[in-house]
Amino acid sequence: MRIDLHTHSVMSDGTDTPSELVRAAASAGLDVVAITDHDTTAGWEEAVGALPSGLTLIRGAELSCVSTAGNGRPISVHLLAYLFDPQAPALVEEQRRLRVERRERLQRMAVRMAADGLPIDPDEVMASLPADGAAGRPHLARALVEAGLVSTVSEAFDKYLGSGGSYYLRRADTPVKRAIAMIADAGGVAVLAHPWAYSRGPTVADDVIVELAEAGLSGVEVDHPDHDPGTRERLRKLAAELDLLTTGSSDYHGANKPTPIGAETTDPEVYERLVARANGRTPVRG
Ligand code: AMP
Ligand code: ZN
Ligand code: FE
Ligand code: FE
């Protein structure tokens, strides 16, 4: 069994439509794929409709959260939510709020970049976003690539869009413990995405993960492209101490990132335990 539990479609900042995403998963030889767009479930229906036979779809999302534990400085954290009820009122409302906030923030970033003479047309960028989807910095990065200013999305992040860069703007993301409670209320399972992806900015300390485990976190994403071997080893050890599930996934973003779908995978036994904990939605088999 080959299982990839973290992928993005055009409903957030990936470049595959949900149909293309599930077909890419099947072509890569996966048995299970999770669709986890940022702050939206807008891709679920199309993905289910296009599911190739033999492939199982896990319906999920990646929630944009913030942790203020430790010294109180806000640190961005991503929470993978699986198999939750997409109509649970608190979660629906919070995701809607975040999508509005994401659009406004992206527009402000685009306007600032254009004002400085960067080849960005804010109206064009905003018009290109999917209606019910989540806008993100990769949309601006792609516009810079298409304008020829940089050659890759990564280069755009390094030069302009990273959290230390001059055009970066924060968002008011969901306090992570509140998000864990909302996912639980919706019958879903919460897994902390790439907790120690240092290259993207500051990451949470061990004691924050301890607190989140106490607050109902089910697992941590250990095998992720942004984790080096030493990081994986330390995280796996901490997870074992806290009795957290450990997942692996590609965080596939289509052409927006170099990692192919299925590049990292989750142990089938861990997958079974994760599915057994959910009661909001069930896996769908094509
Ligand atoms: P946002 O949600 O707008 O804050 O943008 C975050 C998204 O940008 C995440 O989905 C990441 O996958 C992507 N991202 C963050 N850092 C980088 C980077 N250095 N290179 C490419 N993509 C990145
Ligand atoms: Zn993303
Ligand atoms: Fe993420
Ligand atoms: Fe992601």
Side-chain angles (χ1 to χ4, degrees):
M1 285 255 283
R2 295 190 64 237
I3 301 154
D4 186 343
L5 292 180
H6 182 170
T7 69
H8 296 266
S9 79
V10 292
M11 294 305 173
S12 61
D13 52 11
T15 59
D16 286 5
T17 62
S19 309
E20 288 165 347
L21 179 70
V22 290
R23 286 198 288 266
S27 302
L30 288 173
D31 301 286
V32 179
V33 70
I35 181 169
T36 54
D37 278 308
H38 298 282
D39 307 312
T40 185
T41 56
W44 286 14
E45 198 180 330
E46 184 186 325
V48 169
L51 205 57
S53 90
L55 181 66
T56 294
L57 180 72
I58 297 294
R59 290 168 286 181
E62 184 175 19
L63 311 187
S64 306
C65 303
V66 62
S67 165
T68 50
N71 63 7
R73 195 165 41 111
I75 291 178
S76 162
V77 291
H78 290 174
L79 208 53
L80 291 160
Y82 297 111
L83 300 169
F84 55 90
D85 174 359
Q87 267 130 38
L91 207 52
V92 167
E93 190 41 46
E94 181 61 359
Q95 293 200 309
R96 203 195 321 273
R97 183 192 70 77
L98 273 168
R99 289 197 299 274
V100 169
E101 167 124 12
R102 279 177 164 280
R103 287 186 99 84
E104 290 172 355
R105 173 250 204 171
L106 205 76
Q107 185 158 27
R108 281 189 289 135
M109 289 178 74
V111 166
R112 283 187 181 204
M113 292 167 83
D116 279 354
L118 295 182
I120 289 272
D121 179 340
D123 294 337
E124 212 172 278
V125 171
M126 297 317 289
S128 74
L129 302 173
D132 222 9
R137 284 176 285 161
H139 292 109
L140 289 176
R142 276 226 84 73
L144 293 179
V145 171
E146 273 150 31
L149 187 69
V150 291
S151 47
T152 63
V153 167
S154 294
E155 192 187 341
F157 269 85
D158 291 344
K159 291 194 171 147
Y160 304 103
L161 300 166
S163 57
S166 43
Y167 296 102
Y168 177 74
L169 293 178
R170 298 197 77 89
R171 283 187 313 255
D173 288 343
T174 316
V176 60
K177 284 187 195 171
R178 192 155 91 75
I180 289 173
M182 286 191 306
I183 294 165
D185 285 346
V189 177
V191 171
L192 191 60
H194 48 73
W196 288 343
Y198 299 107
S199 62
R200 295 187 189 188
T203 59
V204 292
D206 295 37
D207 58 349
V208 174
I209 298 181
V210 174
E211 272 185 43
L212 298 184
E214 284 163 2
L217 184 73
S218 274
V220 287
E221 193 177 50
V222 171
D223 293 310
H224 182 280
D226 291 353
H227 288 161
D228 61 37
T231 300
R232 295 179 192 208
E233 199 177 317
R234 285 193 302 116
L235 196 49
R236 217 181 294 281
K237 190 161 161 282
L238 179 63
E241 287 165 11
L242 299 173
D243 202 22
L244 290 170
L245 301 175
T246 56
T247 65
S249 28
S250 64
D251 202 356
Y252 174 71
H253 279 70
N256 278 345
K257 280 197 185 173
T259 314
I261 198 165
E264 308 268 4
T265 55
T266 294
D267 186 288
E269 229 172 273
V270 171
Y271 166 72
E272 297 298 343
R273 288 172 62 195
L274 191 150
V275 169
R277 286 187 196 183
N279 58 34
R281 281 293 179 273
T282 54
V284 186
R285 199 176 150 79

